[in-house]
Amino acid sequence: MSVTALPSAPVSVLLKGATQEAHTRAETTAFVTDLMAGRLSIAAFTALAAQHQAIYAALEDLGRRVAGEPGADALVRPELERTAVLAEDLRTLTGGGEAPPVLASTEEYVHRLRTLDDLAGYAAHAYTRYLGDLSGGQAIKRMMQRHYGMGEDGLAFYTFTQIAKIPPYKAAYRTALDELPLDQGGRERLVAEARAAFRYNEAVFVELGRQFRPAA
Ligand code: HEM
């Protein structure tokens, strides 16, 4: 669905439509499907957490840069912040050792986040990551517990302790996106940046997939 085809549709509807194919691609990369099916290892998950740490540090810095803009309060939310819990997860997962390296694809994603300084750009990346964590992320957590014998430790990233009920929270977040004071150009920018955000995420999975393959 193009933005120009439906100029008056709520931005959350445009976002969902514009990223649907990219979502399917990300969700069906070998790394994600192998991890979810129990064919990889906690080491592979640890490598993913290390990528997340770099990405969320940059995303949450961007959130602080745009925090004063009208409409930002409803999107830049302390209950979503993941940087501190990721550090805790990585400490658990590595036993206090060195974290796995940040990959080239992650560096590119982080670079993109560090060049942005507008609320539409933040909204695009926050939508892609946080609504993803509150959706498929919950399934990833369950699969890590089921297939790799994990409990709660190491999975704090997927546990939003300050969000009592995820479905109404996601609905409210979509409403906040819809209420952003954006003109048509801003809406188009937001949707284009969300597509880019999905591409960055897919590239990280592809690179992780080259490093981690199921045992033969
Ligand atoms: C294990 C892989 C994944 C599974 C099983 C999965 C599953 C889902 C499901 C079932 C929903 C719909 C939830 C709802 O409407 O309440 C959803 C939404 C979403 N997912 Fe994923 N997902 C996965 C990976 C990803 C990835 C890698 C990203 C992006 C980095 C992502 C981003 C999103 C976003 C942004 C939404 C919200 C869509 C919207 O309602 O506008 N997901 N996911």
Side-chain angles (χ1 to χ4, degrees), residues 16 23 27 32 36 127-128 132 135-136 170 174 198 201 205:
K16 188 164 189 150
H23 185 276
E27 185 183 12
V32 172
M36 296 278 284
Y127 163 76
T128 304
S135 309
K170 287 197 300 194
R174 287 192 190 97
F198 269 86
N201 279 281
F205 294 136

Side-chain angles (χ1 to χ4, degrees), residues 19 109 112 125 128 191-201:
T19 58
Y109 189 172
R112 178 73 191 168
H125 286 275
T128 304
V191 172
E193 191 62 33
R195 283 179 188 267
F198 269 86
R199 284 197 297 275
Y200 285 116
N201 279 281

Side-chain angles (χ1 to χ4, degrees), residues 50-159:
Q51 310 319 303
H52 284 157
Q53 188 178 48
I55 293 162
Y56 282 80
L59 175 63
E60 290 166 9
D61 279 348
L62 171 58
R64 285 183 279 277
R65 290 201 293 284
V66 302
E69 290 190 36
D73 279 3
L75 293 179
V76 186
R77 303 294 316 158
E79 65 274 15
L80 292 174
E81 276 181 25
R82 301 287 87 195
T83 308
V85 286
L86 274 166
E88 183 189 315
D89 282 349
L90 276 165
R91 265 195 304 279
T92 305
L93 293 162
T94 62
E98 209 177 314
V102 172
L103 302 175
S105 51
T106 303
E107 298 278 14
E108 281 175 34
Y109 189 172
V110 164
H111 176 74
R112 178 73 191 168
L113 290 165
R114 298 235 177 260
T115 58
L116 295 173
D117 65 356
D118 67 317
L119 182 56
Y122 173 80
H125 286 275
Y127 163 76
T128 304
R129 285 302 336 180
Y130 294 126
L131 282 200
D133 301 332
L134 290 165
S135 309
Q138 302 305 300
I140 294 176
K141 177 179 176 179
R142 284 192 298 277
M143 292 302 119
M144 293 312 296
Q145 293 176 322
R146 181 179 302 170
H147 295 303
Y148 303 93
M150 295 179 76
E152 288 296 322
D153 288 354
L155 291 170
F157 173 71
Y158 299 99
T159 311

